[in-house]
Amino acid sequence: MPQDKDEYVKNLFQQLQAGDEADGIPGRLADLSNQELLMGLVALKSAPAQTQEMVLLDILRLAEDSEIGRKYNFAKMCSSDDFRRDMPITEYADYAGAVEKMAAGEADILFHGATTRFIATSGTTGIAKLIPESAAGELVKSLVGRIRLLLLLTLAPEIMRPELKILSITNLSEYAKTEGGIPIGSASGQAVKDIPSEMRQKLILPPELLLASDLSNETMDYLILLLALAEEKMAGVVCSNVAHFQLLLDNIADWEEDLLTDIARGSVSPRLGLEPALHEALSARLAPNPERAENLKDILSNYPHGVRGQGIKEIWPNFSVVSCWMAASSARIVEDLQRRLPAPTKFLEWGYGASEGKFNLPGCINDPAGDLALFGYFFEFLPLGQVDAQPLLTHQLETGAYYEMLITSYSGLYRYNMKDIVCVAGHSGASPRIVFAAKTSETLQLGELELFIYEIDEYVRQVSARLGAGVRFYQVMADTTPGLAPDNRGVSAGAGPVNAAQKASPAHLVVYLEASDEDFPGELFSQELEALLVRENAVYRAQRHAGTLATLEVVRLAPGYRDSLFRRGIMPGKNVNQTKLKTIIREHPEAKAIVQRFKGDGR
């Protein structure tokens, strides 16, 4: 940045506010060189309040002639105060009618112009939602993706060696079309199209495969593995949910013979039944390589229980980088994979985002937090647990605090409640660095006790760290089975006289977990977790002392339980990359998955 920082910031703001193009500020930023863009980001985050005001007014200007713009008189709004006074807080249901019109092909509804595409999301309720996208909104996502890539290359420049390749596992960029002919796709699939041309040539998976929409998950996974194993110079993996990469590694043993045969022959087996064009495109990527196939066979023979550690380094000698989700429940998946990959492997956060947008810019190794994408959205934050509190602006946030996030976007969402809880991990200059913590729906209630999932996760993390006891996966539920002790949940009410073993038991928490190691200290873990909850949580402590809450129970699950849930949880048209497992559950796992039970009082 030039020596006169204030003058530079002033000139940048003037440049970004000049003109009246249809793509506004995002378009002007997109025209900057990579160096100018990174310098501009530093300037923008040095003045977050001014940046956010500028971005909001730009969003409103571009939408003032739309149906919603006329309804709320965007043209008369001159400040964020005007906007926050006259525009109510919204949620998805408020846009149902507008989305229906847009899906039919109508333009100028939530923003000026036509809808470029819809992003499909199941949401936390499992009900399908379509999030509209404008040209300017797509440009914002493209900019965030470009910046994330630049930051990744700053942290891991070694992957830019010309001969090295990257395995980018994404979702379909297009599933279908609406009745009005507008494409419906996924957020990460769309991100593939935003990859700069100089990086696209480094990708192991060809566009023909990434755009294929009629392949089963098993066929897609086989093809991903085939191309990855055939490429000895793979240096890293980009995969939003890195559990997908773990499952691919586990599938090597099941498909080893077919994989090695295809690599040796340099072709895709006809048994997969691929369409001719796709079969030809993939086979063109595979030169016959019997030497590689034989080498892989020798390596895999040394790892009958799954490839890990040195085995991965033998298959891909240059493997060194993973970019993926690292926050919230994904943190445990990352910890599990770190135990499996060769050291030192760099882990870089993929970035906090959703179908509605891409919201932060991570820039540190092993750190899920990132600077807010101030240039792409207008952000507001509701202080968590304060019922009557007014939303705060970006420059008003406190380090360590948790907030519910609202966004206003170039794609027609206005004061939209994401129902996401974020934590401010710190500040970079005057701008907050945020990390996703949980959905607001991820709360556990038991009588007067209410626990957010990030609170439960912190309790589990503390005990796990204190005991050196690895927890690969866990789920928690509030057991309120009336009139039965925990060991008699299969007995139905009215099934006969209740004996002493079936005496009434107060409600209690049950933590189902899959341990990382065989020698998991289950009894000590349950006692430590119970003691921590009593010590740290006043409501839990009061209910335990009052006898309305029984001691918690830790139930150890069979190895591989988490991965079985991923496979069972895949929805039609989706894959593991899009599958998130619930942490709070309402039904007990099947009995065959249970290995051992431990009570928090040692009984």
Side-chain angles (χ1 to χ4, degrees):
M1 185 179 294
Q3 191 169 11
D4 189 342
K5 173 184 168 183
D6 292 339
E7 187 65 23
Y8 178 83
V9 173
K10 178 182 176 181
N11 290 337
L12 178 64
F13 273 84
Q14 289 176 345
Q15 179 184 350
L16 293 179
Q17 294 176 89
D20 57 355
E21 301 88 17
D23 50 12
I25 290 172
R28 290 168 215 133
L29 286 171
D31 289 337
L32 299 178
S33 68
N34 289 339
Q35 183 179 5
E36 289 172 330
L37 182 58
L38 293 178
M39 288 172 57
L41 289 176
V42 175
L44 293 176
K45 72 179 183 181
S46 71
Q50 186 180 356
T51 299
Q52 284 282 274
E53 191 82 6
M54 174 182 67
V55 168
L56 174 63
L57 294 179
D58 194 49
I59 291 172
L60 298 180
R61 177 185 65 81
L62 294 181
E64 63 185 26
D65 291 328
S66 67
E67 187 176 284
I68 196 169
R70 291 189 297 272
K71 177 180 177 180
Y72 289 101
N73 208 359
F74 286 175
K76 297 294 185 181
M77 293 181 180
C78 300
S79 68
S80 58
D81 289 339
D82 293 344
F83 176 68
R84 300 208 300 160
R85 181 191 63 232
D86 297 338
M87 184 74 203
I89 292 174
T90 65
E91 56 186 41
Y92 186 76
D94 297 311
Y95 297 91
V99 167
E100 188 175 344
K101 291 180 182 179
M102 297 164 84
E106 291 190 42
D108 300 324
I109 305 298
L110 293 177
F111 45 77
H112 177 67
T115 305
T116 58
R117 68 177 51 246
F118 287 97
I119 304 299
T121 175
S122 61
T124 56
T125 63
I127 300 172
K129 298 191 297 185
L130 293 180
I131 305 298
E133 198 78 277
S134 70
E138 282 197 325
L139 200 50
V140 167
K141 288 182 176 179
S142 177
L143 275 167
V144 174
R146 176 182 163 192
I147 295 163
R148 286 176 177 174
L149 182 59
L150 291 172
L151 294 174
L152 184 151
L153 295 177
T154 300
L155 297 171
E158 63 271 21
I159 66 175
M160 283 307 292
R161 283 167 44 194
E163 74 276 13
L164 298 185
K165 302 293 183 180
I166 299 169
L167 179 64
S168 179
I169 306 174
T170 68
N171 311 320
L172 298 178
S173 62
E174 184 176 320
Y175 301 128
K177 285 184 168 61
T178 68
E179 61 200 82
I182 300 170
I184 301 173
S186 69
S188 68
Q190 178 61 23
V192 175
K193 295 186 175 183
D194 297 334
I195 296 175
S197 56
E198 65 269 21
M199 284 297 295
R200 206 168 293 153
Q201 62 187 3
K202 295 182 70 66
L203 300 184
I204 290 173
L205 304 183
E208 293 86 353
L209 181 58
L210 297 175
L211 296 173
S213 59
D214 58 349
L215 300 179
S216 69
N217 284 316
E218 183 174 327
T219 298
M220 179 65 85
D221 283 353
Y222 179 86
L223 293 172
I224 292 172
L225 259 183
L226 173 61
L227 293 168
L229 288 171
E231 181 51 74
E232 184 180 7
K233 297 188 184 301
M234 185 173 90
V237 171
V238 176
C239 176
S240 54
N241 184 349
V242 80
H244 196 168
F245 182 57
Q246 278 191 301
L247 292 175
L248 287 173
L249 292 176
D250 292 336
N251 285 337
I252 292 176
D254 297 333
W255 300 333
E256 180 179 340
E257 184 176 347
D258 288 338
L259 288 166
L260 298 185
T261 298
D262 282 352
I263 290 171
R265 293 176 177 173
S267 64
V268 180
S269 173
R271 69 178 178 77
L272 294 178
L274 303 182
E275 291 184 356
L278 179 59
H279 187 277
E280 183 179 348
L282 296 180
S283 295
R285 290 270 181 142
L286 293 167
N289 197 342
E291 183 180 350
R292 173 67 171 166
E294 194 62 34
N295 185 37
L296 287 170
K297 183 178 180 180
D298 291 341
I299 294 170
L300 296 175
S301 67
N302 295 321
Y303 300 93
H305 303 298
V307 184
R308 59 182 62 246
Q310 185 57 31
I312 292 173
K313 203 68 173 175
E314 291 174 30
I315 293 174
W316 299 294
N318 298 288
F319 191 94
S320 62
V321 177
V322 175
S323 180
C324 62
W325 288 331
M326 296 179 64
S329 60
S330 297
R332 202 163 298 283
I333 298 174
V334 168
E335 290 173 7
D336 185 41
L337 185 61
Q338 284 175 321
R339 298 161 63 94
R340 183 167 182 166
L341 294 182
T345 297
K346 293 178 180 178
F347 275 79
L348 307 172
E349 169 63 45
W350 170 263
Y352 163 41
S355 300
E356 293 87 349
K358 297 179 178 181
F359 305 126
N360 74 348
L361 304 165
C364 299
I365 295 172
N366 291 327
D367 184 358
D371 296 333
L372 275 171
L374 298 172
F375 59 85
Y377 309 87
F378 178 71
F379 295 100
E380 298 175 79
F381 299 87
L382 285 164
L384 207 59
Q386 300 180 30
V387 178
D388 298 321
Q390 292 301 307
L392 301 177
L393 298 179
T394 299
H395 62 282
Q396 298 172 317
L397 305 188
E398 296 181 5
T399 296
Y402 288 83
Y403 302 93
E404 194 170 347
M405 192 172 80
L406 316 178
I407 66 163
T408 294
S409 76
Y410 282 92
S411 286
L413 301 176
Y414 303 96
R415 306 198 77 196
Y416 178 85
N417 192 333
M418 287 291 299
K419 305 295 179 72
D420 284 357
I421 298 171
V422 298
C423 177
V424 179
H427 282 74
S428 177
S431 180
R433 301 181 71 248
I434 65 164
V435 60
F436 171 76
K439 301 295 292 184
T440 56
S441 59
E442 293 181 299
T443 57
L444 182 146
Q445 291 189 306
L446 191 53
E448 296 179 2
L449 179 67
E450 180 180 51
L451 291 172
F452 286 107
I453 194 59
Y454 65 83
E455 296 177 294
I456 300 170
D457 198 60
E458 179 60 19
Y459 294 138
V460 171
R461 188 200 64 77
Q462 284 188 37
V463 175
S464 177
R466 186 178 303 146
L467 299 179
V471 176
R472 187 169 190 255
F473 171 71
Y474 80 90
Q475 293 180 313
V476 63
M477 73 175 291
D479 191 336
T480 58
T481 308
L484 298 178
D487 292 332
N488 294 278
R489 279 185 289 267
V491 183
S492 61
V498 177
N499 58 37
Q502 295 172 263
K503 64 184 178 180
S505 172
H508 64 291
L509 298 180
V510 185
V511 180
Y512 291 98
L513 61 82
E514 180 185 345
S516 300
D517 302 301
E518 274 298 315
D519 58 349
F520 182 78
E523 184 174 348
L524 188 57
F525 191 96
S526 63
Q527 293 173 16
E528 288 274 335
L529 187 56
E530 168 73 13
L532 181 62
L533 273 162
V534 169
R535 184 170 64 251
E536 298 290 336
N537 191 287
V539 178
Y540 187 86
R541 180 169 60 250
Q543 289 192 236
R544 287 285 291 114
H545 288 168
T548 57
L549 198 64
T551 183
L552 65 79
E553 182 181 17
V554 170
V555 181
R556 184 173 178 182
L557 299 168
Y561 181 75
R562 184 203 71 184
D563 294 346
S564 74
L565 288 185
F566 270 122
R567 292 188 172 96
R568 282 182 282 170
I570 297 173
M571 298 173 64
K574 296 184 181 293
N575 56 34
V576 174
N577 214 31
Q578 297 159 278
T579 304
K580 298 177 183 178
L581 301 180
K582 293 181 178 179
T583 302
I584 297 173
I585 56 176
R586 289 176 173 78
E587 295 183 1
H588 301 280
E590 60 269 30
K592 65 181 181 180
I594 295 174
V595 174
Q596 199 170 3
R597 297 178 182 277
F598 306 96
K599 293 289 286 182
D601 57 7
R603 290 185 292 172

